[in-house]
Amino acid sequence: MPEPIRVLQVVPAMNAGGMETFIMNVYRAIDRGRVQFDFLYHYDMPCFYDEEIAALGGRVYKLTIRQDNDLVRYLRALGRFFAAHPEYRVLHGHYSGFGMFYNPAAKRAGITVRAGHSHNTDYEKGLVGFLDRCMSFFFVYGLTHRFACGQAAGRALFRGRPFTFLPNGVDAAAFLPDPAARARVRGALGLPEDALLLGHIGRFTPQKNHAFLLELFAEIARRQPRAALVLLGDGPLLEQTRQQAAALGLAGRVHFAGLQRDTRAFYSAMDGFLLPSLFEGLPVVLVEAQAAGLPCFVSDAVDPTAAFCSGVRFLPVSAGQAGAWADAVLAGPLARNPRALAETRAAGYDIVKTAAALQEFYLAAHAAAPQRSARP
C-alpha cells in the first residue's frame, strides 16, 4: 500500500474551539490511509487535541512567535521548517493573521498549493484584533485556493475573490438525543427531569458575549423558578463570568461545566441552546445544536445561512434586548425537532460529505503539485 499524502494544517494552536473542532471532525472522518494531517502551531505549548492528533497518526510542530513576538526568529524557523519537510506539497492555512508570513515562505520553498480558510466574519476589539485585521488583509495574496465556512465569512476575508463554501460538517447521527445521557448529565448537575435547562458552548471571550447571556438568563430565572443554565468552555473571561453570575444572584443556577471532550451528552440534557455572539463565521456549536434537534436562539450578528433546520430564531443583542430574548425562550414549550437528522444531512452538514470534498481536493492538488526535495 502506498503511503498516505501528508497535508500541513497551519493553525494558531489546537485547543478547544470551533475552528479546531471542525478540523478534527474532518480528520476523524477522512480516509487516513490516503490522507494524513500534520499541524504547524504558532504557540509552543501543550494543547487540547495534541494526544488525539498523535493517536490518529498526525505530527505536530510548534513555533514560538505568539509567545516571544520575535519575528526574525519566526521567519528563520519557517524557512528551515519548509526546507526540511519536502513531503508537504499542500498547505491548508486556517490562521489568516500570520498568513502574510507563512504563505510567502511556503511559496519560496516550492509549495505550490496554499489553501486559505475563513472561519469568521470579524475580529476581537482592541489592539490584538486591530493587528489581526490588518495582517489578515495580506493573507489573500499568497493563496492558490480559498475556502469559507459560510458566505459572510468568505466575503469578509476574501473581499470579492471567489471561494468555495465548505460546510462545518459534524457527525450528525452522533447528536441524536440520548435519554440515558440526559439523565446522567442532569443528575450530575442536580437537576430534575422537569427543570428547564438552557445551554451554551463557547470560549469565555468578548466575542461570545457571556455578559449579555447572563443578563438574559437572569430575566428567564426571574420568570421561571425551575430554569438553569449550563456553560461549557474555558477562556480568559471565565472568572469574570463567574463573578457576574454571583452578583446577579445566579450562583446556584448557572453551572460551569468546563472543557468537555465529548459534548453530545450535554446537548441531550439541554432543552434549548443560546448563542448571543457579537460575530461568528458559521459556528460549529450551532451546527451541533441543530443536529441535536434543539430550539436555538441566536444573535442576528450570526450569518443567517447558519440556520438549516427548523427551530432557529435570530434575535438582536443590542443593549436592552435581554427581555426580548427571554420572551422568545419562554413563549411556549421547547420541543425538539424530530427531523433534525434528515434536515442536517439534506443541508450538507454531515461530516462524511465535508470530509469527502476536502479529501478529493487534497488528493487532486497533491497529484498536480511538483515533487519537492529537502534543502540544507
Side-chain angles (χ1 to χ4, degrees), residues 163-178:
F163 59 88
T164 299
F165 165 52
L166 194 67
N168 281 348
V170 301
D171 183 356
F175 288 90
L176 289 171
D178 181 345

Side-chain angles (χ1 to χ4, degrees), residues 9 22 26 30 35 37 92 94 117 147 166 353-363:
Q9 308 288 337
F22 165 74
V26 172
I30 213 162
V35 179
F37 287 1
H92 194 157
H94 303 271
H117 207 127
F147 295 103
L166 194 67
K353 184 173 182 179
T354 303
L358 264 182
Q359 178 171 305
E360 181 180 351
F361 165 73
Y362 290 145
L363 289 170

